[in-house]
Amino acid sequence: MAVPIRTAAAALCAGLVATLLTTVPARAGQREHTWTVSGPGRTATHAPHARISLDDTTGTVSLSVTRDRRTVIEPSPVGIVTEQADLSKDLSFLHRKDRLVDERYRTKSGKRLERRALMNETRLSFATPTGARLDLVVRASADGVAYRYVLPAGLGDVLAETSAFRLPQDATAWLSTYRVDNEGQFAQYTAATAPTGDYSPQALFATDGGYTLLAESDLTGTYSGARLAHDQGTGTYRIKLADDRVRTTGPLATPWRAMVTGDLATVTRSTFTDDLAPASKVPDPGWIRPGTVLWTWLAGGRTAGQSLTAQKAYVDYAAERGWPYEAVDAGWYFKSDEWDTTDPNWQTNSWMPDLVDHARAKGVGIIVWIHQRDLDTPEERAQWLPTLERWGVKGVKIDFMNSEAQSMLQWYDAILAETAAHHLMVDFHGSTIPKGMQRTWPQVMTLEGVAGEEKRTNTAAHLTTLPFTRNIIGSMDFTPGAFQRVGLRPNSDAAETGLAVVYESGLQMYAGTPQSYDERPLARDFYDQLPAAWDDTRLLAGHPGQEAVLARRDGDRWFLGGVYAGTARTAEVPLTIGAGRWLVETIRDGTGGLVQDRQVLRGGETLDIDVTDNGGFAGIACRWTPGISTCHR
């Protein structure tokens, strides 16, 4: 529940102090033209600082970010152009307003369930010579800086932003070429040497000020999705909108342009893009239950999707393992005798209610795949969504949006409200990425927007970059566990097992076959233990493109996952999960398959694990006391 701003004396004092410390006095005869906003709290000296400057000659505004007095983002242009006004130049300063944002909220999935959004906010108001108004709203927290534009009604459609991010040219960059489905691979460059082109807005840079991930938040159908446009030889990444014209009908608040920044552990653990988003619009989220899923597409494809017998067998296997969901992918309603949806009894032609009843008796929920084109109109949604709810389906996997244009974002607005009304959890594929969506609409358990397990060209370097790029933004449906795809994936079996921890997803969809799990009982039994919602997340070791070792806590147990790119080695992992003695069970690659090791370590000691080429590991750590021989329950 949100804590009202300025209701406590401490909050009021903090806001006043922030105002006094961040306002630069005007010199005699000159208007104030520089402002600084930094994160609140005891860590403010180490938090990022945003510096906003108004050039008195050109009337242009720029924003830069520093951390520990080191450059994170160089002075970068800020501005927006509409039909009626160019709000990127000839601006004069009007006034400033400050407040402290302090909100506590609880999520249904993600890196941790209990959250606190604590940010200083500064609103700077500007005007053009003709009186057109622009408010620049800047927020700073302990792990990020963000800004958005707020425009009054009457300025017409948005034609472009002049927003950009200027990085030091030698900053290391991990970038993914932009695709409408957000399924590009991440590759390493420097900020200046990256080829000319468009890139995903989720871009990671390393500078002497630490790591910075560029991102968006609170993207809805009132606006247009963004990508980063870059010209080789520069460190500048410009905001390029998906639409040439963004339709507006009244006042407008654009999405947040966010910079998640800090050391790598801080950036990896950050929930900044969720913190910026509006509060939940689902009043009673008790029906939303994250969990692990047996997903059958890579196990049997469309043929399995057309077979009630095959699907019942998958449900039985999920029930045997204690996995709470089974997902039926494409094929279940695209049959040779395709339904006549003009017939009011068309739903009775499906075997899906039979499967749902069978699964319910086994304690398993059903999630169904459906193409976006079959939910494209209000009439189609009025046919499908109430029917799926009546059958008892628990969630929908909606595929092939493949756009972040304003019209598609308006469709997202509609489907989000309607799936919530019909108590259907959601997994989006061929989609945008979360961008705060999971806070506002907690029934969204996961989204694809990633070059995931289905891809045949993924590299081990890509797999070790995702925890520091795409998965920072929100739940990621990579679909790990496809052990049967030997030769089609770049990693080892132990690394594949560990991906289910390394990658966070509110619906963690296992992509293997029952036979492949039974042939690897250590991996199968590890999956039996895994939750899909976490109390905490920590980065134990990592470097994008080389290694990623994460620990995620469920109650009093920590689950460990590690993935590596490159040659075999003995990995040294700091066990920074708390003081005391821990029983650590790990699964690694052996000469004849997966093997398990057990050892007792003190918190802070080093966990040594032998890792194969492009390998990894999985593990569980629990408090050790005499007589405890396993962490499994």
Side-chain angles (χ1 to χ4, degrees), residues 56-91:
D56 292 321
T57 302
T58 62
T60 57
V61 178
S62 65
L63 182 144
S64 61
V65 179
T66 59
R67 178 177 174 269
D68 287 335
R69 300 181 180 180
R70 296 179 178 179
T71 299
V72 172
I73 301 290
E74 296 178 346
S76 303
V78 170
I80 188 169
V81 179
T82 74
E83 285 181 306
Q84 304 299 325
D86 184 346
L87 298 164
S88 68
K89 61 182 181 179
D90 300 325
L91 298 174

Side-chain angles (χ1 to χ4, degrees), residues 4 19 36 63-64 117 165 200 251 263 324 358 386 399 431 446 516 530 539:
T19 301
T36 303
L63 182 144
S64 61
F165 303 95
S200 167
D263 59 26
H358 176 81
D399 208 344
S431 65
T446 191
S516 72
L530 273 179
L539 178 68

Side-chain angles (χ1 to χ4, degrees), residues 265-330:
T266 298
V267 172
T268 305
R269 191 174 183 269
S270 174
T271 60
F272 187 54
T273 53
D274 283 344
D275 296 345
L276 291 165
S280 173
K281 295 184 179 181
V282 179
D284 181 9
W287 54 273
I288 303 170
R289 297 177 182 174
T292 54
V293 188
L294 177 59
W295 177 53
T296 60
W297 181 255
L298 296 186
R302 185 179 294 273
T303 300
Q306 291 175 333
S307 169
L308 175 60
T309 301
Q311 291 302 321
K312 284 186 174 181
Y314 287 131
V315 165
D316 293 346
Y317 189 82
E320 177 187 345
R321 305 286 356 132
W323 300 350
Y325 298 107
E326 192 256 350
V328 184
D329 214 284

Side-chain angles (χ1 to χ4, degrees), residues 24-39:
V24 178
R27 293 180 301 199
Q30 185 180 20
R31 294 178 300 167
E32 179 185 56
H33 65 277
T34 302
W35 308 266
T36 303
V37 187
S38 61

